Amino acid sequence: MSMRAVVLGATGTVGRVAVPHLVAAGYDVLAHARSADGAARLAALGATPLLGDSDHLRTLREWFRGADAVVDLRVAVPATSRAMRPWAWREYARLRGEAAVMLVDAALLEDVPRVVHDTVTMVYADGRSTPLTEDAPVDAPGALAANLVTEHQLGRVTAAGGAGVALRLAPLYGPDDELSARVVAGARRGRVPLLGPVDGWTSALHTDDAGAAVLTALTAPGGVCNVADDEPLTRRELLAVLADAVGVPTVRGLPDALVRAAPAPLRSLARSHRVDAGRFHALGWRPSVPSRRQGWPMAVAGSRPVRVLQR
């Protein structure tokens, strides 16, 4: 008998690459969509679409009944044109605050043994050059604090005898990502939306590898897991990679003055984050794109890594 997994946020950046991994692994996937077009895309991937309002406890309980796992990938990152306005992050905070509480309430009421939710490595305090494990200090001001609310809620699942797994994803990039497309367009003009000192460290994760991480999380023990590629880069190195990828002499980041004016989630991108994903590696996950040195040229070309879906 196949295991049943319910996926919320299934048509988003991570969801649409996670669903094929779960289907290929033999899961009976029920995937939420907000439109008929989205439902059709999910059905084409082999999932059973769920249409309805995910903000109601009764609906969530109906969807979760009999499930072996629930995966919540809902997120509301504001468009680049609005991201500098603090109010634009309210829905982001709601989904990782009160919506996460309702999600866990529904899962516990229906005795779902496993809940997986993505959070972000942006919650870490500035680590300078120190590798950041899951035990590193956090500093999550503004809307970012909602990620810690989500992780606390997942702890309720583990405390009840199940497994609540938080995937702290490094900043995503890839050929189907809106922000990545803006980075490529900006790089061709010589300026990208990159904040922070050029000698500070950055970590990242290819979108396809985030999808594979969700499958690994379905057998992981409860707790927090960092998910990032194998090679952190300084911003200086990253700017050089982007310049080479688009074929221009030089690419620059944004002026330091914008860091001071930016809302909390964007200011955190100016920190030095050298993320260590060793705990997740020990569970068998490996990135198919180990470094942005390979990943950004692929994203510019619109190509994808070749990954054999796990069965």
Side-chain angles (χ1 to χ4, degrees):
M1 182 177 179
S2 61
M3 304 281 279
R4 174 174 293 185
V6 178
V7 182
L8 305 183
T11 59
T13 299
V14 178
R16 60 178 175 258
V17 290
V19 166
H21 283 278
L22 272 58
V23 171
Y27 282 88
D28 176 16
V29 180
L30 282 64
H32 178 241
R34 293 181 295 178
S35 68
D37 287 345
R41 290 194 296 271
L42 292 172
L45 295 175
T48 300
L50 297 171
L51 280 169
D53 190 345
S54 63
D55 285 332
H56 290 287
L57 181 63
R58 179 180 296 179
T59 301
L60 292 178
R61 291 191 64 180
E62 290 174 356
W63 292 347
F64 295 174
R65 197 160 295 141
D68 298 288
V70 167
V71 179
D72 192 352
L73 303 171
R74 293 174 295 175
V75 69
V77 177
T80 305
S81 60
R82 298 186 295 117
M84 288 293 288
R85 302 168 186 174
W87 58 263
W89 292 88
R90 290 173 185 166
E91 181 64 4
Y92 178 96
R94 187 192 73 80
L95 285 174
R96 303 203 165 191
E98 63 184 72
V101 175
M102 183 185 298
L103 176 92
V104 171
D105 285 346
L108 291 175
L109 287 168
E110 295 302 327
D111 295 320
V112 179
R114 177 174 297 273
V115 179
V116 177
H117 204 306
D118 62 322
T119 62
V120 292
T121 59
M122 291 161 63
V123 299
Y124 287 116
D126 191 301
R128 299 187 179 180
S129 61
T130 302
L132 299 175
T133 68
E134 292 82 354
D135 299 320
V138 295
D139 177 15
L144 282 182
N147 290 283
L148 302 183
V149 174
T150 292
E151 293 177 3
H152 176 74
Q153 292 302 312
L154 292 170
R156 293 170 56 203
V157 179
T158 304
V165 182
L167 295 177
R168 280 186 183 163
L169 304 182
L172 297 169
Y173 75 103
D176 298 328
D177 178 59
E178 177 188 355
L179 179 58
S180 297
R182 291 182 178 273
V183 169
V184 171
R188 290 189 170 119
R189 297 190 298 269
R191 176 83 74 173
V192 294
L194 186 67
L195 296 168
V198 293
D199 292 324
W201 290 89
T202 67
S203 291
L205 179 69
H206 195 279
T207 51
D208 282 34
D209 289 324
V214 172
L215 176 59
T216 299
L218 293 184
T219 53
V224 174
C225 293
N226 289 339
V227 190
D229 69 20
D230 292 340
E231 187 183 13
L233 299 175
T234 65
R235 291 184 183 87
R236 190 187 308 278
E237 292 171 324
L238 177 56
L239 290 170
V241 166
L242 288 168
D244 287 344
V246 300
V248 300
T250 305
V251 173
R252 295 178 295 166
L254 296 176
D256 290 342
L258 285 180
V259 177
R260 295 187 291 272
L266 297 184
R267 288 200 306 273
S268 72
L269 291 172
R271 297 170 177 171
S272 184
H273 282 170
R274 192 176 184 179
V275 176
D276 181 340
R279 180 180 295 180
F280 206 56
H281 283 177
L283 299 176
W285 176 85
R286 289 292 187 278
S288 61
V289 183
S291 171
R292 283 163 287 178
R293 297 184 193 276
Q294 300 89 38
W296 272 115
M298 291 167 55
V300 169
S303 61
R304 313 191 73 90
V306 177
R307 177 188 281 274
V308 177
L309 299 184
Q310 301 175 40
R311 295 183 181 276

